Amino acid sequence: MAITSDQKNEIDLFHKQVEIENPSDIIQFGANYFNRRLELQRGFIKKQENFALSKGISLFPNDMAQDPMSTTHRSSSAVNFKSPFVDQDPHSIHSGPHSNNSSSEPFKSNFNVTTESKKRINSPMDPSQSNDDPSAGSNFKRSSPHPSNLSPIPVHFNAERRTSVSGETLQPGNFDDWTPEHYKEKSEEQLKRLEKSIGKNFLFNKLDHDNKRLVINCLEEKHVPKETVIIKQGDQGDYFYIVEDGNVEFIVNDAKVSSSGSGSSFGELALMYNSPRAATVIATSDCILWALDRLTFRKILLGSSFKKRVLYDDLLKSIPVLKSLTTYERAKLADALDTKYYEPDQVIIKEGDVGENFYLIEYGECQVTREDKGLLTTLHKGDYFGEVALLNDLPRQATVTASKKTKVATLGKSGFQRLLGPAVEVLKLNDPTRSSRE
Amino acid sequence: MMETHAQYVDYLPTKEKQETSQELEDTAQQQQILYQKAMNQEQPSVLQQRSTVSKGKYTLNDFQIMRTLGTGSFGRVHLVRSVHNGRYYAIKVLKKQQIVKMKQIEHTNDERRMLKLVEHPFLIRMWGTFQDSNNLFMVMDYIEGGELFSLLRKSQRFPNPVAKFYAAEVVLALEYLHFNNIIYRDLKPENILLDRNGHIKITDFGFAKEVTTVTWTLCGTPDYIAPEVIATKPYNKSVDWWSLGILIYEMLAGYTPFYDTTPMKTYEKILHGRVTYPSFFNSDVVDLLSKLITADLTRRIGNLQNGTQEIKSHPWFSEVVWEKLLSKDIETPYEPPIVSGVGDTSLFDQYPEERLNYGIHGEDPYEALFTDF
C-alpha cells in the first residue's frame, strides 16, 4: 500500500533529524524522538482545550482519549449528553450540587449513562485512565452509582457490528414456466414422515398443504458415506438437509457440540439467504439425506405468495363496494388481510350478529343460509361475503358456514378505518359517480 | 400533513422548486390534492425527474486513499483526500466479483441510483461514482463523528431525550424517503453516522429501493427485520417503521428486543412477536414502540391513515419542533470530539488494512453489469 503524504512528511522529518544528529543507537534515538514529537503535539492540543470546550468541542472526552498509546480508551470512557428536549426520563441522572463541573461545561443538562465504566478494568499501562482518580483533570462528571432500576446489558446480546443479509432478488411474476429441478414424487409414507420432520420449523409450518407437499417432493435424495463433511463451518450455504437414515455430528470451532440422527434436520438458514455456515456437520455413519436448495424453496414460497397477492387484488377489485379504491389503497388492504381457517360445519358469520369483518375465500366451500329461507347459495374460492359490514352497522343478513375446510382472508371495519379512514367516507369519497357539488 | 410537502421544497433542485412553490401558494386544498396524488402513486415522485447519470466525473487519480473507515461483505470504505481541493471524502469500494457472487447486482445498481437521487439533511450525500476493472467506487461526504453504533455501545444505552433526538431525525429522513417511494430496509445504529455537530446522516443505501407497489426480497439485518419479510409476504414501506421501533428500543435498552444466539432463533421470536419492555422505559415510548413493533399492519403506526404524521404527533415526540429539527435548529445532545479540518478519524474503529488493487484497467468480465457507474 502506498503511504500517505502525512506519513511521508513524518518519515521525512525523522530522516532529516537522523542525518543531523547521526545517532549511534538508532532505536533509542527513534524512541526518544517520537516521544518528544508526541509530547509536543499533545501539549499543543492541550493548549487548545479550553478554547475548544468553549465552542462545544471536547478534545479530551476521557482524559486520554486522544492518547494514541491507549487502546482501551473507547470502551472505558463516559459519554455525556446534552438534552435537546425536556427531560422526562426516569433513568437519566442529573448533575447535582456536588458536581465539580468546570464553568466551561457546555452541556445544558448532563446524562450519565455509562454506569458500567467503573466495572471495567483500567489499563495498567495508563494510570491516568482511572475513573476514580479525582485529580485526573477531567472536565466531565464521572459515573454515578448504578441505579437499581437499570439492568445490565444481557451477556448474550451480540454487541458487535451486525452484518446485513440478503437473499437473491427474484421476480415472482415470471415463475409460471418454472419447474423444480429435482421434483420427484415421494410415497405417502415418506410424505408423512418428512412432513413431521419439518413440521415444527417456522419456514415450513406456514405453508399450505399443497405447497408443503410440493416442497417435500422437491427434496433430493443424497447418499453420503461415513466421515463425509456434509457442510463446513464458514462455507456458503445453499442447502437444507433432513437426515433420512444415519447419524451426524455438529462441530463448532473444532469442538463437537452435538449430534443427531434420523428425522432431524440442519442448515435451514440457507433456505433464507446465503450466509456462512455456523457449524461443520460430519456423517458419523453412512447417511441417506434429503437436500433442498434455497432457490427451489424460495421460488415455491414466493410463487405462492405472489399468486395469493394477485388473488387478493383481483378479489378486492371485484367487490362492488370497494371498486372506488385506488391501487395504492387496495394494496394497503391486501397487505393487511389476515388469514383464518374454518373446519367443516364451523360458522363464520351468523345471521343477526353485528357485522365487523368481510371475507375472501382462498379455498374451500361455504354455505349461505337464512332462518326463513334455508340454503341460499354455496360460495367457493374467489367468492367474498360480509363486505356490507364496512358500510353500515346492520346485523348480518345471513349465516355463512364452512362446508369443507376453508381458508379465508379477512379484514374488519376497524382495521379498514385505521388504514384508510372511515370506510363510509373513503368509499364515498372515491366514488366516481358521486356528485362533485358536495 | 401539509407541512410535510412544504418541507421538501427546500431540498429539490431549483427547477422543481420554482414550479412547486408556485403550487404551494395556492390554497391548502390544492396542496392536499397534490399530496394525496403523490401518496396514491398517480404521478411519479419528483425524484424520478432527476438525472441519475454520473459517469466519467471522477477517477482514482483525483484522490489520495487513506485509512479504512469500515468494512463490509463486498468491500470497504476509505477515508480519501481530494488532490484538488484538499478536502476529505469517504469512498466506498465494492468488489465486482463479490457482488456477483453474492447475487447483489440489482441492489448495488439500486444503491447508486438511490444515493444519486436523494438530497436531505439527514442522508449521506454522494458526489459521484467510477470504476476500474475489479471495483466500483462511490465518492461520498466524509462524516467525521463516527457511527451512532459506536456512541451507543460506548454509552451502553441512551437517556430518553437523547434516543428521542436521534429517533426524530431518523423519522424525518424516513419520511422523506417514503414520500419519494423509496424504502430503506436496513435501519440500524451501524448505518447512522454523526456529523461534526452531532446530527445524523443515514448511510449505506445497499438495500434502498424505489417501490411503488410491493417488493419481495428478504433483506436487512436479522435483529431488525420485520415479520412480514421473514414470512415471505409482499411488503412495503411499513418495514422501515418496524425497524424504527427496534432502533428506538435498542437505543434505550442497549440491546434489541428479539436478540438471540442464532438468526433462526431471532426470526422465530420476531414471528412470535412478544416484546418485553424494561421497567425503566417511559410509558409514552412503550406506547409508541408497541405501535411500531407490531405484526398487525392495520395497527402499525406510520402505515395508517395519516402516515408519518401520526408518528410525529405521538406523545413521545411531543416536545419535538419538527420544522426546527429539519433545519438543524435544535441543539444536538452530543458533539463528537473532532479535530477539525484534518480528516480526524479518531471516532472510527480501526480495521486491518489490506493490499489494494485499485485502478487496474484490464479485462472485466462484469463490464456489462455495472454500466451506470
Side-chain angles (χ1 to χ4, degrees), chain B residues 171-182:
Chain B
V171 167
L172 288 175
L174 288 179
E175 180 184 42
Y176 168 85
L177 289 173
H178 290 181
F179 180 79
N180 290 295
N181 292 326
I182 296 170

Side-chain angles (χ1 to χ4, degrees), chain B residues 264-327:
Chain B
M264 285 308 273
K265 286 183 184 164
T266 296
Y267 298 144
E268 262 177 82
K269 281 189 176 171
I270 292 171
L271 290 174
H272 202 248
R274 188 182 297 152
V275 184
T276 314
Y277 296 100
S279 56
F280 59 82
F281 273 27
N282 149 318
S283 62
D284 283 337
V285 86
V286 172
D287 182 76
L288 175 65
L289 292 181
S290 66
K291 288 170 176 164
L292 288 167
I293 311 175
T294 171
D296 183 349
L297 290 173
T298 75
R299 292 180 194 276
R300 192 178 302 163
I301 193 169
N303 184 49
L304 309 181
Q305 193 192 351
N306 294 323
T308 317
Q309 192 52 48
E310 203 173 338
I311 297 177
K312 290 164 83 176
S313 50
H314 187 277
W316 192 59
F317 284 123
S318 61
E319 39 315 27
V320 181
V321 184
W322 295 95
E323 296 73 29
K324 276 191 155 189
L325 189 67
L326 186 67
S327 55

Side-chain angles (χ1 to χ4, degrees), chain A residues 113-183:
Chain A
V113 285
T114 313
T115 47
E116 301 299 299
S117 40
K118 279 188 188 171
K119 290 185 182 167
R120 307 227 182 219
I121 301 153
N122 291 316
S123 163
M125 302 297 289
D126 190 356
S128 61
Q129 272 208 334
S130 165
N131 285 336
D132 300 315
D133 181 4
S135 65
S138 169
N139 283 290
F140 304 96
K141 283 160 291 177
R142 283 293 155 216
S143 306
S144 313
H146 203 295
S148 56
N149 65 340
L150 273 188
S151 49
I153 306 295
V155 283
H156 293 298
F157 174 64
N158 169 26
E160 299 298 310
R161 276 191 186 74
R162 292 153 291 197
T163 316
S164 305
V165 298
S166 173
E168 291 82 4
T169 306
L170 299 170
Q171 297 298 336
N174 53 27
F175 289 172
D176 281 349
D177 48 0
W178 171 78
T179 45
E181 205 179 322
H182 302 288
Y183 187 89

Side-chain angles (χ1 to χ4, degrees), chain A residues 1-6 45 55-61 66 73-75 77-92 106-108 111-116 120 149-172 200-203 206 236 268-269 272-274 294 298 301-302 305-306 309 326-329 331-332 335-336 411 414-422, chain B residues 39-42 64-66 73 81 88 101-104 106-107 147 149-151 153-162 164-166 168 186 188-191 207 214 216-225 229-230 232-234 236-237 250 252-256 259 261 263-264 267-268 271 279-280 282 284 296-299 303-305 319-321 325 330-339 346-349 351 353-356:
Chain A
M1 196 189 93
I3 60 169
T4 68
S5 69
D6 289 349
I45 297 173
K55 300 278 179 215
I57 301 163
S58 58
L59 298 177
F60 299 92
Q66 299 292 323
H73 65 270
R74 196 130 302 179
S75 58
S77 67
V79 179
N80 295 269
F81 296 106
K82 294 172 292 182
S83 170
F85 303 121
V86 181
D87 173 36
Q88 305 172 323
D89 183 24
H91 67 278
S92 66
F107 301 145
K108 274 198 295 198
F111 303 95
N112 228 324
V113 285
T114 313
T115 47
E116 301 299 299
R120 307 227 182 219
N149 65 340
L150 273 188
S151 49
I153 306 295
V155 283
H156 293 298
F157 174 64
N158 169 26
E160 299 298 310
R161 276 191 186 74
R162 292 153 291 197
T163 316
S164 305
V165 298
S166 173
E168 291 82 4
T169 306
L170 299 170
Q171 297 298 336
K200 275 165 282 170
N201 192 310
F202 73 82
L203 286 168
K206 293 271 158 51
Q236 292 181 31
E268 56 273 78
L269 191 59
M272 301 186 74
Y273 45 79
N274 187 349
R294 173 170 65 252
R298 297 223 62 90
L301 233 67
L302 273 178
S305 217
F306 182 76
R309 178 60 183 228
T326 63
T327 313
Y328 172 76
E329 289 168 329
K332 255 182 135 174
D335 286 345
L411 184 69
S414 49
F416 185 106
Q417 173 154 349
R418 287 193 296 270
L419 286 171
L420 302 177
Chain B
M39 292 305 284
N40 292 341
Q41 333 284 321
E42 282 169 12
Q64 176 196 357
I65 304 235
M66 301 164 79
S73 331
R81 192 172 190 178
Y88 293 89
K101 193 170 142 203
M102 303 289 282
K103 306 194 176 78
Q104 298 298 311
E106 200 172 324
H107 284 164
E147 296 166 12
F149 172 83
S150 309
L151 181 66
R153 290 295 178 267
K154 191 164 122 184
S155 323
Q156 302 225 358
R157 41 173 80 93
F158 293 153
N160 192 49
V162 174
K164 187 181 317 204
F165 174 84
Y166 295 127
D186 205 12
K188 56 176 167 178
E190 290 91 324
N191 286 344
F207 297 148
V214 289
W216 307 79
T217 308
L218 199 169
C219 64
T221 296
D223 279 355
Y224 278 80
I225 297 180
V229 181
I230 298 168
T232 326
K233 288 183 186 164
N236 202 334
K237 297 159 194 165
E250 187 179 345
L252 289 170
Y255 55 91
T256 51
Y259 82 90
T261 47
M264 285 308 273
Y267 298 144
E268 262 177 82
L271 290 174
S279 56
F280 59 82
N282 149 318
D284 283 337
D296 183 349
L297 290 173
T298 75
R299 292 180 194 276
N303 184 49
L304 309 181
Q305 193 192 351
E319 39 315 27
V320 181
V321 184
L325 189 67
I330 287 182
E331 202 180 0
T332 62
Y334 163 83
E335 272 142 40
I338 296 162
V339 185
S346 57
L347 292 163
F348 284 86
D349 284 350
Y351 296 86
E353 299 292 346
E354 62 177 27
R355 186 175 287 276
L356 305 175

Side-chain angles (χ1 to χ4, degrees), chain A residues 286-317:
Chain A
D286 290 349
C287 283
I288 303 172
L289 304 171
W290 295 107
L292 176 65
D293 72 287
R294 173 170 65 252
L295 224 54
T296 301
F297 179 69
R298 297 223 62 90
K299 282 191 167 180
I300 293 171
L301 233 67
L302 273 178
S304 109
S305 217
F306 182 76
K307 278 194 194 121
K308 196 158 112 180
R309 178 60 183 228
V310 172
L311 173 76
Y312 286 174
D313 199 52
D314 287 349
L315 276 174
L316 292 173
K317 251 191 267 185

